[in-house]
């Protein structure tokens, strides 16, 4: 073989060996780079999905806070308990503020003249109306002026529990020169 041919063989063999070395050493790196590229694309897609979920959660949180305030208001007006001791205290306060006397309270069929001794656990006469239970309260009050009685009624309608006035009657008491009111209030309880 001539020198030139030998040189070509050596050059060719070196080139092939170099190509094989580069191929076998670089292919794992290329495969690793491709794997990392695919993982990066998957993580970017996952990150985009998480950002969408975060945006949705922020919207839900904002509407939750808005509706929670409304729900708390309704929960206060329509409690799940039939305990009326706090309500009776509010009625007494309304009567005191309106400068009228609270003569008697009859709750679901039970009469109490001095309502301060009333406990809420005694009242069991609830009537189901739609999705709610109704507890009737019969009141008898007396006042010196129509304005005071009107103030009492307005205050009663704005108490913390949802209250409706079912029956109302007013009489002029000539004996002690006062106005007597008899009214039936309904308060509501969630089941």
């Amino acid at each position: 073989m001539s020198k030139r041919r030998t040189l070509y063989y050596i050059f060719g063999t070196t080139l092939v060996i170099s190509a094989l070395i580069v191929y076998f050493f670089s292919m794992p790196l290329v495969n690793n780079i491709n794997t990392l590229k695919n993982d990066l694309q998957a993580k970017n897609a996952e990150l985009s999905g998480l950002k969408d979920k975060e945006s949705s959660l922020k919207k839900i949180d904002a509407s939750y806070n808005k509706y929670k305030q409304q729900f708390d208001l309704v929960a206060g007006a329509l409690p799940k308990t039939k305990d009326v001791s706090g309500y009776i205290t509010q009625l007494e306060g309304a009567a005191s503020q309106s400068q009228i006397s609270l003569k008697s309270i009859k709750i679901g069929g039970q009469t109490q003249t001095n309502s301060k001794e009333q406990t809420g656990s005694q009242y069991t006469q609830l009537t189901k109306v739609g999705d709610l239970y109704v507890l009737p309260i019969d009141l008898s009050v007396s006042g010196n002026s129509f304005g005071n009685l009107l103030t009492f009624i307005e205050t009663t309608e704005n108490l913390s529990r949802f209250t409706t006035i079912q029956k109302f009657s007013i009489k002029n008491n000539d004996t002690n020169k006062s106005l007597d009111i008899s009214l039936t209030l309904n308060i509501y309880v969630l089941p």
Side-chain angles (χ1 to χ4, degrees):
M1 269 207 240
S2 72
K3 281 184 163 186
R4 193 175 214 156
R5 217 176 202 191
T6 308
L7 191 58
Y8 282 137
Y9 280 130
I10 290 174
F11 179 73
T13 307
T14 305
L15 189 63
V16 169
I17 290 174
S18 296
L20 288 174
I21 288 173
V22 167
Y23 176 77
F24 285 114
F25 285 111
S26 66
M27 279 313 283
L29 291 174
V30 169
N31 287 339
N32 194 14
I33 289 171
N34 286 334
T35 302
L36 289 174
K37 180 182 168 186
N38 291 338
D39 286 348
L40 181 62
Q41 289 174 344
K43 294 295 180 184
N44 282 337
E46 183 179 347
L47 181 62
S48 175
L50 289 174
K51 285 182 181 179
D52 290 343
K53 285 182 182 179
E54 178 187 25
S55 174
S56 296
L57 284 174
K58 284 182 181 179
K59 289 177 185 175
I60 290 170
D61 185 46
S63 48
Y64 169 78
N65 290 331
K66 174 185 161 188
Y67 291 118
K68 174 142 178 40
Q69 292 172 350
Q70 293 173 353
F71 177 77
D72 290 344
L73 181 65
V74 170
L78 299 170
K80 288 189 174 187
T81 176
K82 59 188 172 190
D83 181 21
V84 293
S85 59
Y87 185 75
I88 292 172
T89 304
Q90 289 178 350
L91 283 174
E92 290 173 339
S96 176
Q97 283 178 337
S98 304
Q99 299 175 348
I100 63 169
S101 65
L102 191 57
K103 293 177 11 182
S104 70
I105 298 176
K106 182 179 178 184
I107 300 175
Q110 298 178 349
T111 304
Q112 183 76 18
T113 314
N114 293 325
S115 58
K116 292 181 182 177
E117 299 172 10
Q118 246 350 349
T119 59
S121 60
Q122 301 171 10
Y123 315 117
T124 57
Q125 295 185 4
L126 297 172
T127 306
K128 187 162 183 157
V129 176
D131 292 336
L132 301 172
Y133 288 101
V134 176
L135 181 63
I137 299 175
D138 294 322
L139 293 177
S140 178
V141 296
S142 178
N144 293 332
S145 74
F146 185 74
N148 291 349
L149 295 173
L150 185 60
T151 302
F152 173 73
I153 291 171
E154 288 173 348
T155 305
T156 301
E157 287 181 327
N158 293 316
L159 293 178
S160 64
R161 284 184 86 150
F162 182 64
T163 305
T164 58
I165 298 175
Q166 286 304 112
K167 295 179 187 173
F168 177 83
S169 67
I170 187 167
K171 293 179 186 173
N172 189 12
N173 189 339
D174 291 330
T175 309
N176 58 5
K177 301 204 183 215
S178 65
L179 297 171
D180 293 334
I181 293 181
S182 297
L183 51 113
T184 300
L185 305 175
N186 283 343
I187 61 172
Y188 298 85
V189 178
L190 289 174

